[in-house]
Amino acid sequence: GTLFNMDTRLGDEYDVVGGINASLPIIDSGARDSQVERIDLKVGIVEGELLRNESETLRAWDENQSKTKRVEEQRADTYVRLSEQKHELAELTRRFKSLDGKLNDIALAELALANIQSDVLEYDHELLRLRVGAHVVNESLIESLLMIQVESP
């Protein structure tokens, strides 16, 4: 600040007898540097969490894809078994009509066919569940990427 000694004895006029001009530097004793370090530390923590979340999400995506592939293979094998069982049931039914087959064999073949059809439905349900899971993981990946873009300068 600036200090002046003003003589007002002359009325509306005044004389400046002397003046002192002083300026003091602002000393924050490292407070600003400390704040910057804390902010950098927080940014590092958030970036670490985002990267960890992204890697967990990618791992979940890979796991979902491998499970989906395995279920699709099992489903394809089950469709082959289903076709074979339908063929066997048709053969047993033909034999029964020609009085060469047994009703018990047909009942067992129909039961086996129903079990295979149940397996097909189970695999279809599992595939749908995995696809929904893939969409959830995909959404999480997109959110992670958006958060990283927002955090980047």
Side-chain angles (χ1 to χ4, degrees):
T2 304
L3 299 175
F4 293 101
N5 186 7
M6 299 170 68
D7 189 2
T8 57
R9 288 179 276 162
L10 300 174
D12 288 339
E13 296 183 18
Y14 57 89
D15 285 334
V16 176
V17 176
I20 298 175
N21 189 4
S23 63
L24 296 173
I26 298 176
I27 299 174
D28 65 357
S29 64
R32 182 186 170 284
D33 292 339
S34 175
Q35 287 177 342
V36 168
E37 287 176 11
R38 279 197 313 253
I39 290 170
D40 286 343
L41 180 62
K42 287 179 182 179
V43 166
I45 290 170
V46 168
E47 287 177 349
E49 288 176 1
L50 288 173
L51 289 174
R52 186 179 37 129
N53 288 342
E54 183 181 1
S55 66
E56 288 175 4
T57 305
L58 288 172
R59 183 192 50 75
W61 176 263
D62 291 341
E63 183 179 322
N64 185 288
Q65 293 302 310
S66 66
K67 283 181 181 179
T68 300
K69 184 177 179 182
R70 188 184 73 244
V71 169
E72 285 175 345
E73 289 171 354
Q74 291 171 339
R75 183 175 176 249
D77 291 344
T78 303
Y79 271 111
V80 169
R81 286 187 11 229
L82 180 66
S83 176
E84 290 170 353
Q85 190 63 35
K86 284 181 179 180
H87 180 69
E88 181 181 340
L89 180 60
E91 181 65 26
L92 287 172
T93 304
R94 188 180 55 75
R95 282 186 192 167
F96 181 73
K97 288 181 180 178
S98 67
L99 303 175
D100 190 24
K102 298 178 183 173
L103 189 58
N104 189 31
D105 292 339
I106 292 175
L108 291 174
E110 285 178 343
L111 182 62
L113 181 64
N115 285 335
I116 293 172
Q117 288 172 334
S118 174
D119 290 345
V120 167
L121 291 175
E122 183 180 327
Y123 289 131
D124 287 344
H125 177 264
E126 182 69 12
L127 280 175
L128 289 174
R129 189 187 67 75
L130 287 169
R131 287 180 182 145
V132 168
H135 287 296
V136 170
V137 171
N138 192 25
E139 182 179 336
S140 181
L141 277 173
I142 290 171
E143 287 175 1
S144 294
L145 291 174
L146 289 175
M147 288 298 293
I148 289 173
Q149 287 179 353
V150 168
E151 294 293 327
S152 298

